[in-house]
């Protein structure tokens, strides 16, 4: 929106590199959550229809009971592991977040751990799903109960509007897990940098210095093109892999070097992944 103030925060990576990031606003987060809920409900409807037709097609007294059991298990798994499954992956994005260009990261600058992902999504059960489930069950068994509906809506509203009550637009799960939801830069890499990347060669030892986490951080640095971060990351990589860093002020040269190293590191990690070897970060020796 015109005139809207961007919330820029400086994230310091484990290498000590300050990286400016733009936090997602409440509207973007709500939009991503709504998309995910629609996908979730669509999946539940698809599973329900599938089990319904199976129950009708397969004769037997226990078929209906088995279908209900499978539906209950499927509903539990979808509701509780949809967000966790997607956010625990390297990109930290659910389909809804990816559609709106958002992702989850750790506020301390390190890797987003599985513990943090589980913590931020387990609290969503308390924030939204628990009161909504309570209202639905009450309506289904006892009919309309004003007290239950008011309590459920009030409870949900408290957590729903929590991002509007703090400067970083954090929900309760973010506060507990130490996470941010940021906007992912969509600016494409410059073609001339991609061309220069083909001209630079790196040894396997130089490429084995880093893993997936550093690759993702490097991608953010390149896409944002923040000059101080580019210069610092270039110097850090050169020192780690034992290459001589040029002394002249070469902003474009630094960016070209990072793009070249990024392209080579990505090919190296993808090649190793074909053989079942996935290096999470520079500390992973597996």
């Amino acid at each position: 929106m015109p005139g809207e103030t961007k919330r820029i925060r400086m994230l310091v990576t484990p290498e000590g590199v300050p990286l400016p990031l733009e936090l997602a606003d409440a509207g973007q987060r709500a939009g991503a959550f709504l998309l995910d809920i629609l996908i979730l409900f669509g999946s539940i409807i698809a599973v329900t229809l599938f089990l319904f037709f199976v129950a009708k097609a397969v004769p037997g007294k226990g078929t209906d009971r088995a279908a209900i059991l499978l539906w209950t298990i499927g509903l539990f798994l979808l509701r509780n592991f949809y967000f966790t499954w997607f956010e625990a992956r390297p990109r930290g994005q659910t389909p809804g977040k990816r559609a709106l260009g958002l992702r989850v990261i750790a506020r301390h600058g390190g890797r987003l751990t599985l513990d943090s992902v589980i913590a931020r999504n387990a609290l969503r059960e308390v924030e939204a799903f628990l009161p909504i489930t309570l209202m639905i069950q009450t309506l289904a068994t006892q009919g309309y109960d004003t007290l239950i509906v008011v309590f459920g809506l009030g409870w949900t509203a408290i957590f729903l509007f929590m991002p509007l009550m703090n400067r970083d637009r954090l929900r309760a799960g973010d506060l507990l897990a130490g996470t941010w939801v940021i906007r992912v830069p969509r600016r494409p890499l410059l073609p001339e940098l991609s061309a220069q990347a083909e001209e630079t060669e790196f040894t396997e030892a130089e490429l084995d210095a880093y893993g997936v986490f550093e690759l993702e951080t490097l991608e953010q640095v390149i896409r944002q093109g923040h000059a101080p971060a580019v210069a610092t990351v270039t110097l850090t990589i050169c020192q780690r892999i034992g290459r001589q860093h040029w002394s002249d002020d070469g902003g474009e040269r630094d960016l070209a070097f990072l793009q070249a190293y990024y392209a080579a590191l990505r090919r190296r990690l993808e090649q190793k992944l074909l053989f079942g070897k996935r290096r999470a970060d520079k500390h992973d020796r597996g």
Side-chain angles (χ1 to χ4, degrees):
M1 295 177 59
E4 182 180 2
T5 302
K6 293 183 178 180
R7 294 176 176 81
I8 304 298
R9 300 291 182 269
M10 296 301 293
L11 178 75
V12 180
T13 69
E15 292 77 20
V17 179
L19 186 63
L21 301 173
E22 181 183 351
L23 299 184
D25 61 38
Q28 292 164 340
R29 298 192 60 170
F33 181 68
L34 179 59
L35 286 175
D36 285 320
I37 289 298
L38 292 176
I39 294 172
L40 195 56
F41 280 160
S43 301
I44 292 173
I45 292 173
V47 170
T48 302
L49 292 175
F50 173 76
L51 292 176
F52 173 79
F53 286 118
V54 169
K56 293 299 181 182
V58 179
K61 294 183 178 180
T63 303
D64 291 343
R65 191 173 302 173
I68 293 174
L69 177 61
L70 289 174
W71 183 86
T72 304
I73 294 174
L75 177 62
F76 173 81
L77 293 176
L78 281 171
R79 193 180 74 183
N80 288 278
F81 295 106
Y82 172 88
F83 292 93
T84 301
W85 166 259
F86 284 108
E87 291 181 359
R89 299 175 70 80
R91 292 289 182 181
Q93 295 174 306
T94 60
K97 287 185 176 68
R98 176 170 294 185
L100 294 186
L102 309 180
R103 68 172 295 189
V104 181
I105 64 168
R107 292 205 302 271
H108 57 71
R111 288 182 59 208
L112 183 63
T113 64
L114 181 59
D115 292 344
S116 297
V117 173
I118 291 176
R120 75 185 306 275
N121 288 299
L123 202 56
R124 185 177 280 110
E125 183 75 16
V126 178
E127 292 175 326
F129 293 139
L130 185 62
I132 291 174
T133 302
L134 177 62
M135 287 188 289
I136 293 175
Q137 289 179 343
T138 302
L139 290 172
T141 57
Q142 304 175 17
Y144 184 82
D145 188 318
T146 303
L147 182 61
I148 294 295
V149 172
V150 171
F151 171 78
L153 292 177
W155 180 270
T156 303
I158 291 174
F159 290 102
L160 179 65
F161 292 106
M162 183 172 287
L164 299 177
M165 302 175 187
N166 60 83
R167 61 192 295 266
D168 286 351
R169 296 297 184 255
L170 304 177
R171 47 174 280 263
D174 294 312
L175 294 171
L176 176 66
T179 54
W180 271 334
V181 177
I182 65 168
R183 297 191 64 183
V184 181
R186 294 181 178 273
R187 187 177 66 185
L189 299 177
L190 298 177
E192 60 268 21
L193 296 182
S194 299
Q196 291 183 39
E198 301 299 328
E199 301 174 1
T200 307
E201 294 184 358
F202 297 92
T203 66
E204 291 186 356
E206 290 174 332
L207 297 176
D208 287 339
Y210 294 109
V212 174
F213 171 70
E214 288 79 21
L215 180 72
E216 294 172 357
T217 303
L218 182 57
E219 180 180 357
Q220 286 189 10
V221 172
I222 295 172
R223 288 189 179 278
Q224 290 183 341
H226 185 61
V230 169
T232 303
V233 171
T234 302
L235 179 59
T236 301
I237 292 177
C238 287
Q239 290 175 341
R240 183 169 180 84
I241 67 177
R243 286 210 174 195
Q244 184 68 35
H245 185 262
W246 38 94
S247 57
D248 59 316
D249 182 16
E252 292 186 2
R253 187 177 180 184
D254 285 345
L255 197 56
F257 173 83
L258 291 187
Q259 172 59 16
Y261 189 78
Y262 171 84
L265 177 59
R266 181 169 183 171
R267 286 194 298 268
R268 174 67 173 166
L269 292 174
E270 289 175 348
Q271 181 184 34
K272 295 180 70 174
L273 190 61
L274 292 176
F275 295 94
K277 299 178 181 180
R278 184 182 185 276
R279 191 178 185 195
D281 55 33
K282 64 182 181 181
H283 302 293
D284 185 0
R285 300 299 177 185

